[in-house]
Amino acid sequence: MTDLSRFPITKKWPAAHPERLQLYSLPTPNGVKVAIALEEIGLAYEPHLVKFDTNDQLTPEFLSLNPNNKIPAIIDPNGPGGQPLPLFESGAILIYLADKTGQLLPKDAAKRYEAIQWLMFQMGGIGPMFGQVGFFHKFAGKDYEDKRPRDRYLAEARRLLSVVDGHLKGKAWIMGDEYGIADIATFPWINNLIGFYGARDLVGYDDFREVDRVLQAFLARPAVQRGLKIPARD
């Protein structure tokens, strides 16, 4: 039987199935990326809910796995060389899962790097900028009388949506006909921007018809529908 006892995080979130990949997460745009990927590839895993309202991400147990106190994080009991592998950062985890299973990344070397390029585009642009729009539109930032910070991030969000919209013309997915981790990274954030953040009208989302076309195809996938709810909130 797999022994994960050397990982302090398992004291707070015991593994009922230590032979399975352990996922520590919350159903946020970054968190659901990994859940969706796991559902798509069919790899056995055990999800654990990390509650922000009780600051689970700041506990010593969680920080032992991710010192940056962000979700998601994983422990793969069957990592390289058959040894357990702890890993954080959603983009790194997506690449790891794709490499481990031979799924969700193109086999061709040039196409592989193109897919990783779009993954980095999401990590460095869409995630941070959309998150700032959410802060200034839905959360505490909405109370600021000076709207220049909000408008700066709003303009950048529109620019990023325009980049994606232009790229998707004539394509089923970001990489053309092949669905993969670039889509899994990008579309939960777009869905969150117009859904949970309620910024559809603010960003003029209806101008981006190609983005919405592919978002709807993404949301129609059964693995996506399952992954968007994992880990289940109490």
Side-chain angles (χ1 to χ4, degrees):
M1 185 174 181
T2 305
D3 182 10
L4 298 179
S5 61
R6 70 180 179 88
F7 295 97
I9 196 168
T10 62
K11 302 297 189 294
K12 184 172 178 63
W13 290 276
H17 302 280
E19 74 283 0
R20 300 179 186 176
L21 185 145
Q22 303 293 305
L23 170 64
Y24 307 90
S25 191
L26 185 71
T28 66
N30 281 334
V32 299
K33 294 177 193 174
V34 176
I36 290 170
L38 288 165
E39 289 291 322
E40 292 281 8
I41 64 183
L43 190 65
Y45 70 101
E46 182 177 353
H48 302 277
L49 180 66
V50 179
K51 300 178 183 179
F52 285 2
D53 58 347
T54 54
N55 289 322
D56 281 352
Q57 76 276 18
L58 300 177
T59 61
E61 293 87 353
F62 188 81
L63 291 171
S64 71
L65 186 58
N66 184 359
N68 195 35
N69 65 270
K70 304 292 184 182
I71 58 92
I74 66 168
I75 300 173
D76 183 0
N78 301 300
Q83 298 300 309
L85 175 70
L87 202 60
F88 64 87
E89 281 296 331
S90 60
I93 296 170
L94 288 178
I95 294 171
Y96 171 71
L97 292 175
D99 285 343
K100 177 183 175 73
T101 62
Q103 300 181 54
L104 301 177
L105 258 178
K107 303 297 188 294
D108 175 79
K111 290 292 185 182
R112 169 188 168 84
Y113 284 111
E114 184 181 346
I116 293 173
Q117 161 191 272
W118 284 103
L119 172 63
M120 296 299 107
F121 172 82
Q122 182 279 307
M123 298 290 293
I126 285 178
M129 295 301 104
F130 286 16
Q132 294 288 359
V133 171
F135 174 77
F136 284 103
H137 181 61
K138 182 181 177 70
F139 298 112
K142 71 179 184 299
D143 298 325
Y144 291 9
E145 292 184 10
D146 186 347
K147 297 304 179 187
R148 285 175 294 179
R150 185 205 68 177
D151 291 346
R152 177 189 178 190
Y153 293 117
L154 172 60
E156 182 64 2
R158 279 189 57 83
R159 189 190 71 79
L160 293 167
L161 285 168
S162 180
V163 171
V164 178
D165 200 67
H167 177 72
L168 287 174
K169 289 179 180 177
K171 298 182 178 70
W173 302 105
I174 289 175
M175 288 300 297
D177 293 334
E178 190 172 347
Y179 170 84
I181 60 172
D183 305 291
I184 291 171
T186 301
F187 288 102
W189 271 104
I190 295 173
N191 186 53
N192 200 71
L193 179 70
I194 64 173
F196 180 70
Y197 288 163
R200 184 185 191 109
D201 292 339
L202 182 69
V203 300
Y205 177 77
D206 292 340
D207 294 340
F208 305 104
R209 296 183 179 180
E210 299 295 329
V211 169
D212 190 61
R213 170 181 60 83
V214 182
L215 173 64
Q216 297 312 315
F218 178 76
L219 294 174
R221 297 179 69 90
V224 171
Q225 293 171 12
R226 294 191 299 270
L228 286 172
K229 302 174 183 177
I230 296 172
R233 296 179 185 268
D234 291 345

